[in-house]
Amino acid sequence: MKWAYAISLYTQTHCTARGLQPRTIAAYRSTLWQFHAWVLVHQADLSPAGVTARDVLEYLEYLRRQRHNGDSAVNRQLTILKNFYRALVAMEFLEPAANPLVHFPKIKARPRKLPVTLTPAETERLLARPSKATLLDVRDRALLSLLYGTGIRASEAASLQEGAVDLDDRTIRVTGKGGHERVIPLNERVVEILRAYRRLRGPRPPRSAFLRSRQDRALSRGAIYERVRCWAQKCGLTKRVSPHVLRHTFATHLVRAGVSIVTIRDLLGHRLITSTQIYLHVTAEDLRAAALRHPIGRLAESLEDLLPQVHLPLQPAPRRSSG
């Protein structure tokens, strides 16, 4: 089997049948072609069936040493390669014994870090920064409010259609990972901001993009990242702010407001509750506040109160023997 046919078979047949998003499929295709390019240089005309576990190990080492990929990027490439070979076996284009990754050792995962979030004061500064002087400012105000007010991903905001924004019902309908749709309720303040943007922007067909670029085209995912970074810099935030940081902030603020983790999972569109549980973290300020509220503060008297003006010895005096 040739590489071109195998990669096309996996991405266009297997991945499409699984309902993966076009952007995800494109990323998988790019990764597989990158691996194929490395194989051509180091192993000449080696076919997919001829790849060994040693070849994959050498490739991962190449990614680390020469491409300077971190643990997360290396693990992502390995996962794609594993899924690629597993799919070829499942579709009976490759014998199980020819799968070089069937017994491949696991790579130690990178320690999971707590997500970066904004404080309520930082969030307020960011949302208030775009003025109402131009249509683009009003659009960006709507974008920031939408990201923080609903927790949707940048890709979901970019693909949000005009007909999926129901301001009378105060809901939006988005398509998340795996093609799964979910309906998210809107806060009344977010509804007001979106309504102002829609009124100034003018009517659009139901299947057109809700967020429009300067050229009146759909605002791309990359442009959404750029606009969020731009406004964070303008209001003087030192943190690296992205749409995903606003998504983390949305979830963390809901946890602190006492919203159920199951409800937050559904709002975020997570398939597994384990993906949402990271938002149960507490900050240093939360820990410090908990320590200050501990009952020991009012139950235990200080030593100075118990023994005023008394100088204590370093240790008890030794006992004399009775003999």
Side-chain angles (χ1 to χ4, degrees):
M1 179 185 295
K2 299 292 185 181
W3 280 99
Y5 178 71
I7 293 174
S8 176
L9 181 70
Y10 173 65
T11 55
Q12 295 183 17
T13 302
H14 187 79
C15 292
T16 302
R18 288 178 57 203
L20 300 184
Q21 295 293 309
R23 186 169 56 87
T24 302
I25 296 175
Y28 286 4
R29 185 183 296 110
S30 175
T31 296
L32 293 172
W33 277 116
Q34 180 180 315
F35 178 64
H36 171 247
W38 180 88
V39 169
L40 279 179
V41 172
H42 295 83
Q43 302 292 348
D45 293 329
L46 194 67
S47 69
V51 171
T52 66
R54 181 175 179 175
D55 294 328
V56 177
L57 280 172
E58 290 179 357
Y59 175 65
L60 299 182
E61 190 66 13
Y62 155 80
L63 292 177
R64 281 199 173 94
R65 294 189 178 276
Q66 297 188 39
R67 296 292 295 269
H68 307 292
N69 284 185
D71 291 342
S72 179
V74 171
N75 276 324
R76 182 165 55 250
Q77 298 246 1
L78 177 59
T79 299
I80 293 172
L81 288 172
K82 282 185 174 181
N83 290 340
F84 168 67
Y85 276 102
R86 193 180 296 121
L88 293 182
V89 171
M91 292 186 290
E92 299 183 350
F93 285 95
L94 195 67
E95 291 295 325
N99 183 352
L101 300 178
V102 65
H103 297 302
F104 198 83
K106 288 186 178 180
I107 294 181
K108 184 179 179 181
R110 184 180 60 172
R112 193 172 191 182
K113 294 182 179 179
L114 294 178
V116 175
T117 61
L118 302 181
T119 66
E122 290 171 333
T123 307
E124 185 177 357
R125 281 168 54 193
L126 178 63
L127 296 183
R129 187 62 179 82
S131 69
K132 301 177 183 178
T134 67
L135 175 58
L136 293 181
D137 283 352
V138 174
R139 180 208 63 193
D140 288 351
R141 192 181 185 91
L143 169 64
L144 295 173
S145 300
L146 191 63
L147 293 172
Y148 170 65
T150 64
I152 62 176
R153 304 175 178 92
S155 57
E156 294 170 344
S159 61
L160 182 65
Q161 295 184 349
E162 176 73 13
V165 181
D166 190 338
L167 299 183
D168 293 329
D169 194 40
R170 295 191 299 179
T171 61
I172 60 172
R173 187 178 69 257
V174 298
T175 303
K177 290 185 176 181
H180 299 295
E181 282 192 347
R182 67 187 188 280
V183 175
I184 305 174
L186 299 174
N187 180 278
E188 185 58 43
R189 178 59 181 149
V190 177
V191 170
E192 292 175 4
I193 294 172
L194 297 184
R195 184 172 280 126
Y197 167 62
R198 175 180 271 172
R199 182 174 62 252
L200 291 171
R201 183 210 59 193
R204 290 293 183 277
R207 296 183 66 83
S208 65
F210 180 75
L211 297 168
R212 315 292 299 182
S213 70
R214 186 187 301 269
Q215 293 78 25
D216 198 30
R217 292 195 283 264
L219 196 64
S220 68
R221 179 177 178 272
I224 289 174
Y225 267 83
E226 188 274 330
R227 298 315 302 156
V228 172
R229 279 195 299 265
C230 176
W231 287 113
Q233 292 170 358
K234 285 185 177 181
C235 66
L237 295 181
T238 57
K239 298 174 181 175
R240 295 189 62 176
V241 184
S242 68
H244 224 66
V245 167
L246 293 181
R247 179 173 166 86
H248 291 324
T249 302
F250 162 81
T252 301
H253 289 182
L254 287 182
V255 168
R256 288 179 177 166
V259 177
S260 162
I261 195 69
V262 175
T263 300
I264 297 173
R265 177 201 63 187
D266 294 341
L267 290 172
L268 292 174
H270 285 161
R271 188 169 58 89
L272 301 175
I273 193 69
T274 51
S275 301
T276 319
Q277 286 173 340
I278 192 172
Y279 298 110
L280 294 177
H281 71 277
V282 290
T283 65
E285 289 75 18
D286 296 327
L287 294 173
R288 190 175 295 111
L292 292 175
R293 292 196 301 269
H294 196 283
I296 195 172
R298 64 176 182 274
L299 297 179
E301 297 179 87
S302 69
L303 193 62
E304 289 79 2
D305 293 334
L306 293 172
L307 301 170
Q309 307 300 322
V310 173
H311 296 285
L312 300 180
L314 180 63
Q315 62 185 22
R319 284 189 175 186
R320 293 184 177 181
S321 61
S322 56

Tab-separated table of all heavy atoms in Angstrom, residues 157-182:
chain	number	residue	atom	x	y	z
A	157	ALA	N	-17.138	29.772	17.696
A	157	ALA	CA	-17.531	31.161	17.447
A	157	ALA	C	-17.393	31.493	15.964
A	157	ALA	O	-18.234	32.189	15.382
A	157	ALA	CB	-16.678	32.108	18.284
A	158	ALA	N	-16.318	30.981	15.332
A	158	ALA	CA	-16.092	31.257	13.913
A	158	ALA	C	-17.170	30.626	13.038
A	158	ALA	O	-17.536	31.183	11.998
A	158	ALA	CB	-14.711	30.749	13.504
A	159	SER	N	-17.674	29.461	13.437
A	159	SER	CA	-18.676	28.753	12.628
A	159	SER	C	-20.110	29.067	13.059
A	159	SER	O	-21.060	28.510	12.489
A	159	SER	CB	-18.441	27.237	12.710
A	159	SER	OG	-18.572	26.783	14.049
A	160	LEU	N	-20.279	29.954	14.042
A	160	LEU	CA	-21.619	30.299	14.520
A	160	LEU	C	-22.406	31.000	13.415
A	160	LEU	O	-21.963	32.003	12.860
A	160	LEU	CB	-21.511	31.207	15.751
A	160	LEU	CG	-22.825	31.626	16.409
A	160	LEU	CD1	-23.546	30.417	17.007
A	160	LEU	CD2	-22.556	32.678	17.490
A	161	GLN	N	-23.572	30.465	13.098
A	161	GLN	CA	-24.374	31.006	12.005
A	161	GLN	C	-25.425	31.980	12.518
A	161	GLN	O	-25.861	31.909	13.676
A	161	GLN	CB	-25.047	29.876	11.228
A	161	GLN	CG	-24.072	28.965	10.498
A	161	GLN	CD	-24.780	27.913	9.661
A	161	GLN	OE1	-25.993	27.711	9.768
A	161	GLN	NE2	-24.020	27.241	8.803
A	162	GLU	N	-25.813	32.872	11.626
A	162	GLU	CA	-26.813	33.886	11.969
A	162	GLU	C	-28.098	33.239	12.490
A	162	GLU	O	-28.665	33.678	13.504
A	162	GLU	CB	-27.120	34.731	10.724
A	162	GLU	CG	-28.208	35.765	10.896
A	162	GLU	CD	-27.766	36.945	11.737
A	162	GLU	OE1	-26.547	37.080	11.983
A	162	GLU	OE2	-28.635	37.739	12.147
A	163	GLY	N	-28.556	32.172	11.825
A	163	GLY	CA	-29.795	31.529	12.247
A	163	GLY	C	-29.696	30.768	13.550
A	163	GLY	O	-30.723	30.374	14.118
A	164	ALA	N	-28.462	30.544	14.032
A	164	ALA	CA	-28.271	29.817	15.291
A	164	ALA	C	-28.261	30.743	16.503
A	164	ALA	O	-28.161	30.272	17.636
A	164	ALA	CB	-26.963	29.026	15.252
A	165	VAL	N	-28.379	32.054	16.251
A	165	VAL	CA	-28.396	33.040	17.341
A	165	VAL	C	-29.831	33.520	17.517
A	165	VAL	O	-30.342	34.326	16.732
A	165	VAL	CB	-27.458	34.225	17.031
A	165	VAL	CG1	-27.471	35.233	18.175
A	165	VAL	CG2	-26.031	33.721	16.776
A	166	ASP	N	-30.500	33.009	18.535
A	166	ASP	CA	-31.904	33.355	18.810
A	166	ASP	C	-31.940	34.284	20.019
A	166	ASP	O	-31.950	33.833	21.172
A	166	ASP	CB	-32.713	32.078	19.083
A	166	ASP	CG	-34.211	32.337	19.127
A	166	ASP	OD1	-34.605	33.494	19.363
A	166	ASP	OD2	-34.980	31.376	18.946
A	167	LEU	N	-31.959	35.567	19.755
A	167	LEU	CA	-31.913	36.536	20.844
A	167	LEU	C	-33.262	36.674	21.540
A	167	LEU	O	-33.312	37.127	22.683
A	167	LEU	CB	-31.436	37.892	20.312
A	167	LEU	CG	-30.022	37.881	19.711
A	167	LEU	CD1	-29.613	39.280	19.289
A	167	LEU	CD2	-29.024	37.306	20.698
A	168	ASP	N	-34.352	36.324	20.880
A	168	ASP	CA	-35.665	36.346	21.543
A	168	ASP	C	-35.750	35.220	22.573
A	168	ASP	O	-36.267	35.407	23.683
A	168	ASP	CB	-36.784	36.202	20.506
A	168	ASP	CG	-36.875	37.411	19.596
A	168	ASP	OD1	-36.546	38.529	20.065
A	168	ASP	OD2	-37.258	37.252	18.419
A	169	ASP	N	-35.226	34.047	22.195
A	169	ASP	CA	-35.216	32.908	23.115
A	169	ASP	C	-33.993	32.930	24.026
A	169	ASP	O	-33.875	32.119	24.940
A	169	ASP	CB	-35.229	31.602	22.312
A	169	ASP	CG	-35.560	30.397	23.167
A	169	ASP	OD1	-36.450	30.510	24.035
A	169	ASP	OD2	-34.908	29.349	22.994
A	170	ARG	N	-33.052	33.854	23.758
A	170	ARG	CA	-31.806	34.016	24.523
A	170	ARG	C	-30.973	32.739	24.524
A	170	ARG	O	-30.514	32.270	25.552
A	170	ARG	CB	-32.096	34.463	25.964
A	170	ARG	CG	-32.713	35.845	26.045
A	170	ARG	CD	-32.750	36.386	27.441
A	170	ARG	NE	-33.544	35.555	28.343
A	170	ARG	CZ	-33.713	35.806	29.641
A	170	ARG	NH1	-33.115	36.855	30.195
A	170	ARG	NH2	-34.451	35.021	30.377
A	171	THR	N	-30.755	32.190	23.334
A	171	THR	CA	-29.931	30.986	23.188
A	171	THR	C	-29.100	31.083	21.908
A	171	THR	O	-29.434	31.823	20.986
A	171	THR	CB	-30.790	29.702	23.110
A	171	THR	OG1	-31.655	29.786	21.966
A	171	THR	CG2	-31.588	29.487	24.373
A	172	ILE	N	-28.010	30.303	21.888
A	172	ILE	CA	-27.271	30.080	20.652
A	172	ILE	C	-27.117	28.575	20.486
A	172	ILE	O	-27.112	27.828	21.462
A	172	ILE	CB	-25.881	30.757	20.656
A	172	ILE	CG1	-25.018	30.219	21.806
A	172	ILE	CG2	-26.008	32.266	20.714
A	172	ILE	CD1	-23.586	30.682	21.756
A	173	ARG	N	-26.988	28.144	19.244
A	173	ARG	CA	-26.791	26.725	18.945
A	173	ARG	C	-25.444	26.580	18.243
A	173	ARG	O	-25.213	27.184	17.191
A	173	ARG	CB	-27.914	26.206	18.045
A	173	ARG	CG	-27.879	24.698	17.805
A	173	ARG	CD	-29.041	24.239	16.952
A	173	ARG	NE	-28.934	24.715	15.577
A	173	ARG	CZ	-29.630	25.726	15.072
A	173	ARG	NH1	-30.491	26.375	15.823
A	173	ARG	NH2	-29.458	26.094	13.802
A	174	VAL	N	-24.546	25.812	18.856
A	174	VAL	CA	-23.198	25.673	18.302
A	174	VAL	C	-22.914	24.204	18.007
A	174	VAL	O	-23.513	23.306	18.604
A	174	VAL	CB	-22.122	26.227	19.267
A	174	VAL	CG1	-22.329	27.710	19.515
A	174	VAL	CG2	-22.123	25.470	20.586
A	175	THR	N	-21.984	23.988	17.088
A	175	THR	CA	-21.536	22.644	16.742
A	175	THR	C	-20.131	22.465	17.270
A	175	THR	O	-19.208	23.168	16.863
A	175	THR	CB	-21.550	22.423	15.218
A	175	THR	OG1	-22.873	22.669	14.731
A	175	THR	CG2	-21.137	21.002	14.882
A	176	GLY	N	-19.962	21.521	18.202
A	176	GLY	CA	-18.678	21.306	18.850
A	176	GLY	C	-17.893	20.173	18.236
A	176	GLY	O	-18.120	19.780	17.088
A	177	LYS	N	-16.961	19.635	19.018
A	177	LYS	CA	-16.113	18.542	18.543
A	177	LYS	C	-16.955	17.318	18.223
A	177	LYS	O	-17.918	17.009	18.923
A	177	LYS	CB	-15.076	18.198	19.608
A	177	LYS	CG	-14.016	19.272	19.799
A	177	LYS	CD	-12.958	18.823	20.778
A	177	LYS	CE	-11.841	19.852	20.900
A	177	LYS	NZ	-10.780	19.422	21.837
A	178	GLY	N	-16.571	16.625	17.157
A	178	GLY	CA	-17.314	15.439	16.753
A	178	GLY	C	-18.633	15.741	16.082
A	178	GLY	O	-19.440	14.839	15.853
A	179	GLY	N	-18.886	17.029	15.769
A	179	GLY	CA	-20.143	17.393	15.120
A	179	GLY	C	-21.333	17.444	16.059
A	179	GLY	O	-22.476	17.539	15.611
A	180	HIS	N	-21.083	17.397	17.378
A	180	HIS	CA	-22.182	17.405	18.351
A	180	HIS	C	-22.715	18.827	18.549
A	180	HIS	O	-21.945	19.760	18.785
A	180	HIS	CB	-21.719	16.833	19.687
A	180	HIS	CG	-21.250	15.411	19.605
A	180	HIS	ND1	-22.081	14.360	19.287
A	180	HIS	CD2	-20.022	14.869	19.782
A	180	HIS	CE1	-21.402	13.235	19.284
A	180	HIS	NE2	-20.143	13.517	19.570
A	181	GLU	N	-24.020	18.970	18.439
A	181	GLU	CA	-24.658	20.268	18.657
A	181	GLU	C	-25.101	20.413	20.110
A	181	GLU	O	-25.464	19.440	20.758
A	181	GLU	CB	-25.880	20.428	17.742
A	181	GLU	CG	-25.545	20.777	16.317
A	181	GLU	CD	-26.784	21.210	15.548
A	181	GLU	OE1	-27.909	21.005	16.038
A	181	GLU	OE2	-26.614	21.765	14.443
A	182	ARG	N	-25.054	21.636	20.583
A	182	ARG	CA	-25.599	21.930	21.908
A	182	ARG	C	-26.190	23.334	21.900
A	182	ARG	O	-25.754	24.195	21.123
A	182	ARG	CB	-24.541	21.796	22.998
A	182	ARG	CG	-23.425	22.816	22.969
A	182	ARG	CD	-22.358	22.467	24.002
A	182	ARG	NE	-21.355	23.503	24.159
A	182	ARG	CZ	-20.326	23.689	23.349
A	182	ARG	NH1	-20.170	22.901	22.292
A	182	ARG	NH2	-19.452	24.657	23.577
